[in-house]
Amino acid sequence: MSERDLAVEQGKSEEVRPHGREIAGKRRFTRNIGFGVASALLLAAFLALGSGQAKASPSAGAQVAVGISVSFGPPPIPVYEQPWCPGPGYFWTPGYWAWDPDYGYYWVPGTWVLAPFAGALWTPGYWGWDPGISLFIWHGGYWGTRVGFYGGINYGFGYFGRGYDGGEWRGREFFYNRDVTRINVVNIRNVYVNRVSIRNDSRVSYNGGEGGIDARASRGDMRAYQERRQGPVAMQNRQETMARRTPDARWSQNHGQPRVAATPTAGRFMGRDVVRATGAGGNYRFEQQARQPQQQRGGYRPFGRPQQQQQQPRQMQQQQQRGGYRPFGQQQQQPRQQQQRQQEQQMQMRQQQQRQQQQRGGYRSFEQQPRQQQQRQMQQQQRQQEQQMRQQQQQQRQMQQRQPRPQRQNQMGGAPKQQRGNPGRQAKPEKNKAGHGDGHGGGHGGGRK
């Protein structure tokens, strides 16, 4: 008999139970780890199947594509200078082209933001071509302890396609490389100089596809994505929101040369420190598609359901023509300008209906109903009274026409001609030739003897 069985028989279950709970806890922990690994493998297989082959996608394994997808690539990166760093602890986040379903591509200016934690480095987002669904997918940027893969895009100012050469962390302080970063040594003393040779002088802003950057994620880039990371901070989101609301930031108006290309701090698009683009980054390969109306170009499709979208292209085109197309998952996140346009259209329709009802004489506002009803009742009563007066006057005229003339004069207050001369004397009856009065009373009106 084993020691464990002997302990149970001797009643020493108190010493065995903790060991049993420890074993059960280890089993549950092992089961959870196995389930997590299986879920990760299933997710990787699903992404590989959704994007065709993992080797064919330049972003495979680097980071998960989250966001939107467009059928044509963004414009080149404009030419601009970096604004001066406002102070120690600020980190440079380069500008990029973002997408809006109503306005198309718009430029989000580069800016300086405070690092969210000591040792934080920013990995910019990028547009990558996915041959499995034939779309350009936006891969959002993130903060981490390493700079990951950002498509090999040359954003400038330290981001020349791979890694970051604009500075480095030394303990809890960030040191800036003056060779590629605009630093005022009066305000910032943590500086050094490291000559950087730019390997990629292209200003193309997308990876893969026709004319795109040919770059793949390395193992170090994959490890950077798997480590601790977080999304953009609040000031970065504010910068993108303000750029979306700025008409001049849209490519349809600036044609690749935005008026606000970079800002010293996030959310401030006015002032003498705001940097303006000195030129476009080059010829735009997809200019014709970008100039087409939204209904014709069909540029926006939500990422994640490519097969269903390919099976139902006609329905999406009909919805776009009716102006009712909204991407899946963003029914409650419409732009404010689109909501304002809808409200204005509804107001115009209501005003038009009100005008039509007023022309027909049937429109009444809720507040004016009692007052207008009283006015109509009073007008109706007045018309009835006038009609009654006219009827009475008409009846009187008819009665006057039927009566003889003397009686009509008596009724009117007049007197016969005989009584007018001497009202105290009575008129004598006229005698006829036979002397019998008027011949109707049997001689009561005869003459005197």
Side-chain angles (χ1 to χ4, degrees):
M1 181 179 293
S2 64
E3 295 180 359
R4 181 180 179 84
D5 297 336
L6 182 63
V8 172
E9 290 181 0
Q10 292 178 358
K12 297 180 180 181
S13 58
E14 297 177 355
E15 298 179 0
V16 177
R17 286 175 185 173
H19 183 65
R21 286 197 296 269
E22 183 179 359
I23 293 174
K26 289 182 179 179
R27 289 177 180 175
R28 286 195 298 270
F29 180 73
T30 306
R31 191 185 307 113
N32 293 336
I33 292 177
F35 180 75
V37 172
S39 302
L41 292 175
L42 289 174
L43 178 60
F46 175 77
L47 292 174
L49 291 174
S51 60
Q53 298 180 355
K55 294 182 180 180
S57 176
S59 60
Q63 61 190 83
V64 179
V66 178
I68 61 176
S69 55
V70 188
S71 61
F72 58 96
I77 297 175
V79 180
Y80 65 96
E81 293 184 356
Q82 186 184 44
W84 293 97
C85 181
Y90 279 84
F91 202 92
W92 173 251
T93 57
Y96 59 93
W97 290 102
W99 172 264
D100 184 85
D102 293 329
Y103 310 120
Y105 285 106
Y106 63 95
W107 177 255
V108 179
T111 188
W112 293 93
V113 296
L114 289 171
F117 55 89
L121 298 173
W122 172 249
T123 299
Y126 71 97
W127 291 95
W129 172 256
D130 194 326
I133 56 177
S134 300
L135 293 173
F136 286 94
I137 302 172
W138 172 250
H139 303 261
Y142 58 92
W143 291 94
T145 56
R146 300 185 186 182
V147 177
F149 182 68
Y150 51 93
I153 310 300
N154 181 11
Y155 287 107
F157 313 112
Y159 291 101
F160 300 117
R162 191 174 297 276
Y164 179 62
D165 299 322
E168 61 185 17
W169 285 93
R170 298 178 183 178
R172 299 187 62 85
E173 295 183 354
F174 187 79
F175 284 73
Y176 301 88
N177 185 5
R178 293 186 59 190
D179 186 56
V180 295
T181 308
R182 298 187 70 184
I183 299 297
N184 188 353
V185 294
V186 177
N187 300 329
I188 302 174
R189 300 297 179 87
N190 300 335
V191 296
Y192 67 96
V193 178
N194 183 19
R195 301 296 179 184
V196 179
S197 60
I198 300 175
R199 298 177 296 272
N200 176 21
D201 57 353
S202 174
R203 308 194 75 86
V204 177
S205 60
Y206 58 91
N207 179 284
E210 183 180 358
I213 301 297
D214 186 10
R216 305 293 178 87
S218 63
R219 293 182 179 178
D221 297 332
M222 295 180 184
R223 287 195 299 269
Y225 182 75
Q226 294 172 358
E227 292 177 356
R228 172 191 176 187
R229 68 186 190 281
Q230 69 180 51
V233 296
M235 297 304 293
Q236 291 174 283
N237 295 329
R238 181 183 178 185
Q239 185 87 340
E240 184 174 349
T241 301
M242 292 192 64
R244 185 187 298 111
R245 297 176 181 176
T246 304
D248 186 71
R250 304 162 193 168
W251 180 89
S252 59
Q253 296 193 17
N254 58 42
H255 302 289
Q257 188 175 347
R259 184 175 300 175
V260 180
T263 61
T265 55
R268 193 181 72 178
F269 281 33
M270 297 181 64
R272 59 182 182 180
D273 296 335
V274 173
V275 178
R276 182 171 184 170
T278 58
N283 296 328
Y284 187 19
R285 185 180 294 272
F286 304 100
E287 182 176 358
Q288 294 181 355
Q289 297 182 9
R291 289 182 181 276
Q292 291 178 358
Q294 179 183 1
Q295 292 81 1
Q296 297 180 6
R297 69 190 181 207
Y300 176 71
R301 288 192 293 174
F303 175 74
R305 301 178 68 182
Q307 294 181 356
Q308 186 174 2
Q309 290 173 356
Q310 292 176 2
Q311 293 175 0
Q312 299 179 356
R314 293 183 180 179
Q315 295 180 2
M316 189 169 64
Q317 290 178 1
Q318 292 176 0
Q319 289 177 351
Q320 289 177 351
Q321 291 176 1
R322 292 195 300 266
Y325 175 69
R326 289 185 293 178
F328 177 77
Q330 293 186 358
Q331 286 83 356
Q332 298 180 356
Q333 297 180 0
Q334 289 185 340
R336 293 184 179 179
Q337 295 181 356
Q338 185 177 1
Q339 294 179 359
Q340 290 177 359
R341 286 197 299 271
Q342 291 179 358
Q343 292 177 0
E344 291 177 357
Q345 290 177 0
Q346 292 177 1
M347 288 294 296
Q348 291 177 0
M349 292 177 63
R350 290 178 183 176
Q351 292 177 359
Q352 186 176 1
Q353 291 178 359
Q354 291 176 2
R355 287 195 296 269
Q356 291 178 358
Q357 291 178 352
Q358 286 177 353
Q359 291 177 0
R360 292 195 301 265
Y363 172 74
R364 289 183 303 172
S365 62
F366 179 77
E367 296 177 355
Q368 294 178 352
Q369 284 182 1
R371 190 178 300 174
Q372 292 182 355
Q373 188 174 2
Q374 292 177 1
Q375 291 178 357
R376 281 201 305 273
Q377 290 179 358
M378 292 176 62
Q379 292 177 359
Q380 188 175 2
Q381 292 178 0
Q382 290 178 0
R383 286 196 297 270
Q384 289 179 359
Q385 292 177 0
E386 291 177 355
Q387 188 175 3
Q388 291 177 1
M389 290 290 295
R390 286 196 297 271
Q391 289 179 359
Q392 291 177 1
Q393 290 178 2
Q394 187 175 2
Q395 290 177 1
Q396 289 179 1
R397 285 196 298 269
Q398 290 178 359
M399 292 177 61
Q400 290 175 1
Q401 289 176 1
R402 292 176 183 176
Q403 290 178 359
R405 187 170 182 180
Q407 293 179 2
R408 186 169 57 193
Q409 289 178 355
N410 291 334
Q411 290 179 359
M412 295 176 63
K417 295 181 180 180
Q418 296 177 358
Q419 294 179 0
R420 287 180 185 177
N422 190 359
R425 296 179 58 185
Q426 295 182 355
K428 295 181 179 181
E430 297 181 356
K431 296 180 180 181
N432 54 9
K433 295 180 180 180
H436 296 285
D438 56 357
H440 294 282
H444 293 287
R448 294 179 181 177
K449 295 182 180 180

